[in-house]
Amino acid sequence: MKQKLNCIMLIDDDEPTNFVSTIYIEEAQCTNHLQITDSGQKALNYLTNSEEFTCDNSRYPCPELIFLDINMPAMDGWEFLDQYKQLRKEQQGKIIIIMLTTSLNPDDSIKAGKMPEISGFAIKPLTAELIDKVLKEHFDW
Amino acid sequence: MLVLLFVVNGIASLITLNNNRKVSEHISKITDPSLQSLEDFGDLLTASKMYTTNWVFLRSNQDDKDALKRLHNIDYPKLKVKLNLLSGKWDHKQMADSLQKIYTGFEQLLVVEKGVMSSLQKFEDYNDPVAKFESERIIEDEVLPHTSRLMNSLSGIISYEQNIRNQKNKDLEEYSMRLRMLISILAITIIFLGTFLSLYMARVIVSPINKIRDMVNDLGKGIIRKVNHKVSNDEIGKMVRSVNNLSEKLQATATFATEIGNRNFNSYFEPLSAEDTLGKALIAMRNNIKSSYQKLNEAQHIAKLGSWERDVKNDHVSLSDELFCIFDIDPVSFDSSFQSILQLIHPEDIKNFQAIGRKYMQDHLPATYECRIISAKGVTKNISVQSKVVIDAHGEVIKTIGIVQDITERKKGELALSESQKQIQTIFNAALDAIVIIDEEGKIVKWDSKAEILFGWKQEEQLGMLLTETIIPQQYREAHRRGMKLFLKTGEGPILSKTIEVRAINKNNDEFDISLSISPSLIDGKHQFIGFIRDITSRKKAEAKLRKSEADLERNNRELIQKNRDLEQFAFAASHDLQEPLRTISDFVGLLRQQYQGKLDEKADKCLAFIIQSSDRMKIFIRDLLQYSRIGSDNTNEQVNCMVILDEVLADLGKAIEETNADIKADPLPFISGHPAEIKQLFQNLIVNAIKFRKKDSIPKIKISAQKKDNYWQFTFADNGIGIEEQYNEKIFVIFQRLHTRSEYQGSGIGLSNCKKIVELHNGKIWVDSKPGEGSTFQFTIQQNSN
C-alpha cells in the first residue's frame, strides 16, 4: 500500500518553480501537507518552530522529504545545509533531502555526493518521474 | 687696704720711735749729765768741806790747800756753768730754783772758807791760837753744818732727778713695749692677710690658670676643648676668653682638617688671619689632595677600579667613590657595615667568597680572587678582588684593605670569545659545507667528516694527497696549478674569497656540481687555503625546475589573460545573441496572452504570466550582463564633475524619487578623473539601491558626501534603509548574489557587482558598513588620478 507522506517541503525562492513543483506533487497525491518556503532561513525557522512558525508540531509537521534549491538569495542551499547540520537531532528528524538545481556546474553534484545529509541530486524542473523515483527509492512506493 | 694698714702701722711705729728717741735723748743728754753733774756737785761739796777742814787742822798739807784753792777758783765755776746749762732744760723749774738756792748757800760757805784760809794763810799763823781756834770753831759751827744742809738739798734734787730718770726709763720701756705690740699686730695682720690673699688667689687665679694649663696640655696632646670657667671681666677672664677663642679657631681648623680627611673637599674654611700659616697650608693641602683625589677617582673610574678599607673590630667599611659606582650603592645611605657588602655577593659565589675571607684572615696572606655580585641596582657584575690584611703588634687582624675591579666587560669578552670558539666549532660541525684545507703545495691537510660523506674518501686516504689528484676533474687541474702559482707569486687569486660554482669528482669518479669558497690564511708564515664545499646538485636541479615553472607560469598567465578576454567577449556575445530569441519568445507569449487571456483555465493564465515574467527578467538579466561586460571596455578618462553627474542621476530617477518622497542630500562633490558614464552608473546604482531597500514605513533618506584623503576621494552614500547583516558585507558585491527573494525585492543581483567593477577600474575600493534595521553606508574611494 502506498503510504502518503506526512509532509513534503520545498525550499526555493523562485515562484514559477514552486508553482510547477506544486502541480506535480499534488498530482502525485503522495503527501498530506506541502510546505513551501522561499528561503533557507524560513525553512530553518519552520524546522525549529521559531519566528513566524512558532507553534506546536501538529500545525507544522516535520517534513519527511525536502526538495532544496541550491541557488537562492541570502542563504543558498549549501549554507542551509550547514545550518541544518547544527540543529539538534530531534529537529533534524529523519529527513530525505533532494537537491534541485538549474546549475549545470558538475562541481555541485560532486559536492552534493560527498554530503551524507543529501540523499539525491536532480536537475530542475521537478517532474512526475522524479517524484516517483524518489518515493520508490526512499519511501517504499 | 694693705697699704693703708702699713701706713697706719708705720706712722704709729714712727711716732712711738720718735717718742722713744726723744726720751732716750732727754735721758742721755739732760737727765744723765744732770745727775752726773749733781753728783759731782755733791762730791765738790764734800771735797770743799774736807779740804777746808784739812786747811785748818793740817797745817802742812799743801796739796789740799791747793786743791781747795782750785776748787774755789776753777772747779766750782766750771761745774756751775755746766749745771746751769743743764738745769735750763729741766722740765721742772722749781728744781732749778732749788739749785740756785744751793748755789747761793755754797757761795756763802765759800766766803766763810775764804775767811778761814785768809786767817790761816801762813804757817806761823797756826801758832796764833786765837786765829786757830776761831778757825776751828768756824769749821765746827759753820762749815760742817752748812755743808750738810747743802748736801741734803742737793740730795733732794738728785733723788728728784733720779726719779725723773726712772720715770723716763719707764716711759722708754713703755714705748718699746708699744712698738713690739704694734709690730706683733702688724705681723699677725700680715699673716692673716697673706693667708686670706693666698686663698683668694688660689680661687680666682690658680684654678682658671690650672684649667688653662690643662687645656693647653690637652691641646698639646691634640685634644681640642674649651676652658670651662665663668668668664669674668678681669685679666683671667680675658685670658680664658682668648684661650677659648684659640680653641675655637683650632677647632675650626681641626674640623676642616677632619673634613679633608673624610674627603669632604667642599667644606667652607677661611684662614683665621692673613698670618694663619696652618690654615693656608691646610687649604693648599686640601686643594692638592682634592686634585689628587679627583685624578685618582678618574683613574679608578677609567680602570673601573675601586678600593676599600674594612675596620674589622668596629665593623666599619669605607669605599672609594668608584667602588660605590661598581656596587651601585648610594654613598649617603650606605651603613658602612660589612654585612651590606656581603648581601651584594652573588648567592652562588657567597660560599667561596666567605671561604677565601676566612682563609686570609687566618694565614694573613694576600688573596686575589674573582666573584660575581648583584649590584644594588640588580645588575650582575664580575669583579676581581685583591685583599690584604693589616695586623697589629699582637698579630691580630685589625683591618683588611684591598681593591676591586669591575671585570664584567672582560668576562663578557672572554665568554664571547669562548662562545665564538664554540660557535666556530658548532659551525664547522653544523655547516652543510664540507671543509677541506690545503697547504701551499696543494696537499690536503684537513678533510672533515662532511668531506668524507660528500666525496666518499676517508680522511686518512686524503691527508697529504694533492688536490689535483683527487677531487678536481681533469679539465680543471692545470688551471688550478696555475692559480696556486699566481697566488704564491702575487698574492692574488681570481677565485679567492668568493663563491664559485664548479664541477668536482667523487670516489666513484662521478662528476657533480659544487659551490666552492676559498679563503686564504697565513699560519706560521705559510699559506693555507680553506675550502668550503657544498654539493649543489639538487639546487641545480631545482633551479632548472624553477626556470621551467617560471616559463609555465608566464604561459599560463598569458593564457589566462586571453581566456578572460574570451570570456568577456563570450558574455558580450552570448548576452547580445540571446536577446534575439528571447525577444521572439517574449513577443509570442505576449501575443498568446492577448489572444487567450481568460479563455483558458486559471492555471494556464498563471503559466502565461510566469512566462512573461521570466522573459522580462531574462531581458533585464541580459541587459545587465551586457552592461557589466561592457564596463571598462572604454578606457577614455576625463575630468568628471560629480555634482553634474549626481544632478543627471537625480533627474533620471525623478519618478522613483517622487513616488517614494525620497530625501536626498548631497555635500559639494569634487571633480575626479574617470569615465563619466561609469561614474554615473555607480552613483545611480547606489541611489537606486538606497531607495529600493528602504524601510516600508519610512521615507528614504540618503546623504551623499565626499572626503579628501591622501591621494584619493572617499565617497559616502548613507541611507536609512533596511540594512544588511554583517555576514553578507562581502557577498553583496558578488555577481548574481541576492539577499532577498524576487517577491520581496526585484533585481538581477548585478548592481553592486557593477559598482565594484567600476570602482576597481578606477583604482578604488568599495565596502559597506551597515546595521540591520538602521541603514547602510556604502563607501568607495576613487584615486585622484585614476587611469
Side-chain angles (χ1 to χ4, degrees):
Chain A
M1 178 56 204
K2 292 175 182 174
Q3 178 71 45
K4 267 194 177 178
L5 301 185
N6 200 21
C7 179
I8 293 176
M9 186 187 235
L10 296 177
I11 307 175
D12 199 324
D13 67 311
D14 189 50
E15 204 186 340
T17 304
N18 287 335
F19 178 77
V20 173
S21 301
T22 306
I23 289 170
Y24 285 121
I25 289 168
E26 278 174 356
E27 278 180 0
Q29 294 190 342
C30 58
T31 181
N32 294 325
H33 182 77
L34 176 64
Q35 179 65 41
I36 298 168
T37 48
D38 63 359
S39 78
Q41 187 58 53
K42 279 181 187 164
L44 285 171
N45 291 346
Y46 181 91
L47 290 174
T48 55
N49 284 325
S50 53
E51 303 288 330
E52 64 266 54
F53 298 105
T54 311
C55 195
D56 54 82
N57 276 344
S58 57
R59 198 167 150 199
Y60 302 120
C62 184
E64 288 165 273
L65 176 62
I66 290 176
F67 289 103
L68 174 64
D69 183 27
I70 291 177
N71 194 12
M72 286 185 289
M75 185 186 284
D76 67 15
W78 303 114
E79 286 165 333
F80 168 79
L81 279 168
D82 287 340
Q83 296 290 316
Y84 172 77
K85 280 190 270 182
Q86 310 285 324
L87 294 179
R88 297 201 304 275
K89 282 287 168 206
E90 72 268 20
Q91 288 173 329
Q92 285 187 15
K94 278 193 158 185
I95 303 175
I96 301 298
I97 298 175
I98 306 295
M99 256 190 145
L100 285 177
T101 181
T102 49
S103 170
L104 299 170
N105 189 345
D107 290 346
D108 282 345
S109 87
I110 293 164
K111 189 175 172 187
K114 286 178 183 165
M115 297 182 78
E117 290 82 7
I118 296 173
S119 306
F121 187 86
I123 306 294
K124 281 183 188 178
L126 186 66
T127 57
E129 292 79 29
L130 182 59
I131 293 170
D132 194 46
K133 187 181 162 223
V134 169
L135 290 173
K136 276 187 177 143
E137 208 171 302
H138 299 287
F139 298 97
D140 301 330
W141 272 49
Chain B
M1 193 185 76
L2 208 61
V3 174
L4 192 72
L5 194 72
F6 273 101
V7 168
V8 170
N9 206 296
I11 292 168
S13 299
L14 273 177
I15 293 168
T16 315
L17 278 173
N18 200 33
N19 287 344
N20 220 344
R21 184 184 55 79
K22 274 184 187 163
V23 173
S24 294
E25 209 172 58
H26 201 268
I27 291 170
S28 63
K29 288 193 176 163
I30 298 165
T31 314
D32 279 356
S34 297
L35 270 175
Q36 188 60 51
S37 299
L38 288 170
E39 277 169 9
D40 287 348
F41 195 18
D43 291 348
L44 196 130
L45 281 176
T46 312
S48 112
K49 181 185 84 178
M50 190 185 74
Y51 288 148
T52 314
T53 309
N54 287 350
W55 188 287
V56 172
F57 295 103
L58 299 170
R59 190 181 32 183
S60 57
N61 195 344
Q62 197 59 43
D63 288 345
D64 282 358
K65 288 175 184 171
D66 294 340
L68 189 58
K69 286 177 195 165
R70 200 171 55 239
L71 192 147
H72 277 240
N73 299 326
I74 299 164
D75 291 348
Y76 171 64
K78 229 171 135 183
L79 189 62
K80 193 183 171 185
V81 170
K82 194 176 173 184
L83 265 174
N84 278 343
L85 273 174
L86 288 168
S87 65
K89 291 173 183 173
W90 286 359
D91 298 335
H92 306 285
K93 288 291 164 200
Q94 69 264 34
M95 284 303 133
D97 294 345
S98 300
L99 191 59
Q100 288 301 323
K101 284 174 185 161
I102 294 171
Y103 288 156
T104 317
F106 188 60
E107 281 162 12
Q108 286 166 352
L109 189 58
L110 289 179
V111 173
V112 171
E113 287 176 351
K114 276 181 171 132
V116 168
M117 286 166 60
S118 52
S119 57
L120 297 172
Q121 214 172 9
K122 290 175 192 150
F123 193 77
E124 25 304 345
D125 295 341
Y126 290 90
N127 289 346
D128 183 358
V130 174
K132 194 159 167 253
F133 184 65
E134 185 58 31
S135 290
E136 279 176 8
R137 201 232 3 124
I138 291 170
I139 295 283
E140 276 299 323
D141 294 347
E142 283 182 40
V143 174
L144 285 179
H146 207 67
T147 304
S148 273
R149 262 192 329 270
L150 285 176
M151 277 299 279
N152 281 343
S153 296
L154 194 63
S155 294
I157 292 172
I158 287 172
S159 68
Y160 181 79
E161 281 300 313
Q162 262 174 347
N163 275 345
I164 285 174
R165 189 177 173 244
N166 285 346
Q167 187 59 44
K168 296 271 177 191
N169 275 343
K170 233 182 245 172
D171 284 353
L172 202 61
E173 215 161 293
E174 201 180 314
Y175 286 137
S176 300
M177 187 67 106
R178 205 184 291 166
L179 198 61
R180 273 202 300 276
M181 273 278 271
L182 270 173
I183 289 168
S184 298
I185 287 166
L186 189 65
I188 288 163
T189 310
I190 286 170
I191 288 166
F192 177 74
L193 274 176
T195 313
F196 173 77
L197 274 176
S198 60
L199 283 175
Y200 177 77
M201 290 292 169
R203 197 173 72 77
V204 175
I205 300 171
V206 176
S207 159
I209 285 180
N210 275 344
K211 283 178 181 175
I212 291 170
R213 186 201 61 206
D214 289 348
M215 193 211 90
V216 172
N217 275 345
D218 279 352
L219 277 183
K221 290 177 201 159
I223 304 164
I224 299 172
R225 59 180 179 81
K226 283 195 176 182
V227 174
N228 181 20
H229 188 80
K230 195 181 161 199
V231 179
S232 51
N233 216 9
D234 54 13
E235 292 304 315
I236 294 293
K238 284 177 190 166
M239 198 161 165
V240 169
R241 210 174 291 133
S242 298
V243 169
N244 277 346
N245 194 26
L246 168 74
S247 166
E248 249 171 53
K249 297 286 171 69
L250 266 179
Q251 185 61 55
T253 311
T255 306
F256 179 59
T258 311
E259 290 293 321
I260 295 171
N262 288 340
R263 301 178 202 154
N264 182 5
F265 300 125
N266 295 323
S267 71
Y268 179 77
F269 180 76
E270 271 201 359
L272 307 179
S273 70
E275 289 82 29
D276 181 8
T277 323
L278 176 62
K280 283 179 185 169
L282 269 178
I283 287 173
M285 182 178 92
R286 191 262 318 264
N287 292 343
N288 282 339
I289 292 178
K290 185 178 175 179
S291 158
S292 312
Y293 189 71
Q294 279 167 346
K295 279 177 194 161
L296 179 69
N297 265 352
E298 254 170 59
Q300 287 199 349
H301 187 65
I302 290 163
K304 295 196 173 182
L305 187 77
S307 58
W308 95 93
E309 191 176 315
R310 175 188 167 205
D311 183 338
V312 177
K313 292 219 167 111
N314 300 320
D315 185 27
H316 184 275
V317 184
S318 52
L319 310 177
S320 75
D321 286 0
E322 182 55 26
L323 200 47
F324 278 118
C325 285
I326 292 171
F327 287 161
D328 290 334
I329 297 177
D330 176 17
V332 178
S333 58
F334 179 52
D335 65 0
S336 301
S337 74
F338 184 58
Q339 187 60 33
S340 298
I341 303 295
L342 268 186
Q343 279 169 356
L344 298 172
I345 307 299
H346 196 287
E348 290 171 20
D349 292 355
I350 189 91
K351 238 177 168 176
N352 187 38
F353 178 83
Q354 286 173 324
I356 292 165
R358 276 194 296 275
K359 187 173 175 292
Y360 73 71
M361 292 291 264
Q362 270 174 9
D363 61 18
H364 300 170
L365 293 174
T368 303
Y369 54 96
E370 290 178 3
C371 71
R372 284 169 297 168
I373 57 160
I374 297 173
S375 82
K377 285 181 184 165
V379 183
T380 304
K381 296 181 180 181
N382 293 83
I383 54 168
S384 154
V385 186
Q386 291 184 36
S387 299
K388 204 176 131 179
V389 296
V390 178
I391 52 173
D392 63 8
H394 309 291
E396 264 187 70
V397 178
I398 50 171
K399 266 199 268 182
T400 63
I401 55 173
I403 54 170
V404 170
Q405 190 169 21
D406 183 350
I407 55 166
T408 312
E409 293 303 319
R410 202 186 78 202
K411 277 278 166 190
K412 271 188 198 163
E414 286 174 6
L415 200 68
L417 191 64
S418 99
E419 282 293 313
S420 81
Q421 278 170 345
K422 265 189 218 164
Q423 251 172 2
I424 287 169
Q425 195 53 48
T426 312
I427 289 167
F428 263 60
N429 292 343
L432 298 169
D433 297 337
I435 295 161
V436 175
I437 302 176
I438 57 167
D439 62 13
E440 284 178 344
E441 297 164 32
K443 280 183 182 162
I444 295 166
V445 293
K446 181 170 171 70
W447 184 265
D448 81 341
S449 56
K450 302 251 170 24
E452 291 181 344
I453 295 165
L454 185 58
F455 294 102
W457 283 290
K458 291 276 161 202
Q459 171 163 279
E460 50 271 26
E461 291 178 89
Q462 285 292 320
L463 289 184
M465 293 289 285
L466 283 168
L467 204 62
T468 44
E469 289 168 1
T470 55
I471 63 171
I472 298 178
Q474 193 69 43
Q475 65 268 33
Y476 298 120
R477 288 181 180 174
E478 189 46 41
H480 181 262
R481 278 192 281 267
R482 276 204 309 274
M484 290 280 281
K485 268 185 199 162
L486 180 73
F487 176 79
L488 293 174
K489 205 170 156 188
T490 65
E492 284 171 17
I495 62 160
L496 292 176
S497 301
K498 55 183 161 186
T499 303
I500 53 166
E501 288 178 5
V502 291
R503 306 276 289 168
I505 45 176
N506 63 17
K507 199 177 183 182
N508 297 331
N509 215 22
D510 294 329
E511 233 183 87
F512 62 104
D513 289 303
I514 58 164
S515 79
L516 172 66
S517 308
I518 303 169
S519 303
S521 71
L522 200 61
I523 294 170
D524 296 334
K526 293 208 164 183
H527 288 287
Q528 285 199 340
F529 304 91
I530 307 167
F532 298 89
I533 303 162
R534 187 179 299 184
D535 182 356
I536 54 167
T537 311
S538 45
R539 202 192 80 202
K540 283 275 177 191
K541 279 179 189 162
E543 276 173 7
K545 209 172 164 184
L546 190 67
R547 273 195 295 278
K548 188 177 175 292
S549 56
E550 270 171 4
D552 288 351
L553 198 67
E554 207 177 319
R555 198 182 60 242
N556 287 347
N557 206 23
R558 271 201 309 274
E559 282 172 7
L560 205 62
I561 290 166
Q562 186 56 45
K563 271 183 182 165
N564 231 3
R565 221 172 273 153
D566 292 350
L567 206 62
E568 275 176 19
Q569 191 58 37
F570 168 76
F572 176 76
S575 47
H576 186 265
D577 292 351
L578 280 171
Q579 275 181 326
E580 189 54 35
L582 179 64
R583 196 176 54 79
T584 312
I585 292 170
S586 183
D587 290 349
F588 279 91
V589 173
L591 190 64
L592 210 55
R593 188 165 66 172
Q594 196 193 350
Q595 297 287 322
Y596 298 100
Q597 177 90 40
K599 292 175 183 167
L600 298 168
D601 67 356
E602 200 184 319
K603 261 186 192 165
D605 284 350
K606 209 166 185 180
C607 284
L608 279 174
F610 277 133
I611 293 167
I612 291 167
Q613 214 179 66
S614 290
S615 52
D616 286 349
R617 262 173 59 206
M618 190 146 180
K619 273 188 205 162
I620 295 168
F621 259 121
I622 287 170
R623 187 200 66 205
D624 289 354
L625 193 61
L626 202 57
Q627 204 174 36
Y628 181 79
S629 65
R630 274 181 184 156
I631 291 171
S633 57
D634 182 3
N635 281 333
T636 56
N637 237 12
E638 56 189 77
Q639 281 293 307
V640 179
N641 184 347
C642 292
M643 286 310 284
V644 172
I645 295 281
L646 181 65
D647 286 344
E648 285 175 18
V649 170
L650 294 180
D652 289 353
L653 296 175
K655 200 177 162 209
I657 293 168
E658 202 177 306
E659 276 170 9
T660 57
N661 280 323
D663 174 14
I664 301 172
K665 286 197 173 110
D667 288 346
L669 299 178
F671 277 77
I672 55 171
S673 153
H675 192 285
E678 287 173 1
I679 298 296
K680 184 180 172 185
Q681 198 188 344
L682 173 63
F683 277 35
Q684 185 167 320
N685 283 355
L686 289 172
I687 293 170
V688 165
N689 277 351
I691 294 173
K692 184 160 93 180
F693 296 102
R694 68 183 177 275
K695 276 187 283 198
K696 288 204 167 67
D697 50 356
S698 57
I699 294 168
K701 285 184 179 170
I702 304 163
K703 176 91 177 72
I704 302 162
S705 58
Q707 242 185 320
K708 177 101 170 65
K709 300 276 177 172
D710 294 340
N711 58 342
Y712 56 87
W713 286 94
Q714 182 169 317
F715 286 79
T716 304
F717 285 67
D719 65 49
N720 62 338
I722 57 170
I724 301 155
E725 302 243 11
E726 198 185 344
Q727 53 185 316
Y728 302 122
N729 281 356
E730 305 281 339
K731 195 171 176 176
I732 54 171
F733 295 105
V734 178
I735 192 166
F736 299 135
Q737 289 293 339
R738 306 178 72 250
L739 297 182
H740 307 278
T741 60
R742 263 179 294 279
S743 57
E744 289 172 317
Y745 297 99
Q746 287 288 330
S748 58
I750 283 180
L752 284 173
S753 42
N754 268 344
C755 292
K756 189 164 192 261
K757 196 173 174 188
I758 292 166
V759 168
E760 284 173 355
L761 280 168
H762 285 81
N763 294 322
K765 281 191 298 183
I766 185 166
W767 68 96
V768 67
D769 293 309
S770 181
K771 260 191 180 170
E774 287 183 18
S776 306
T777 302
F778 282 86
Q779 288 181 300
F780 61 87
T781 58
I782 298 275
Q783 282 223 333
Q784 272 188 305
N785 291 307
S786 59
N787 293 308

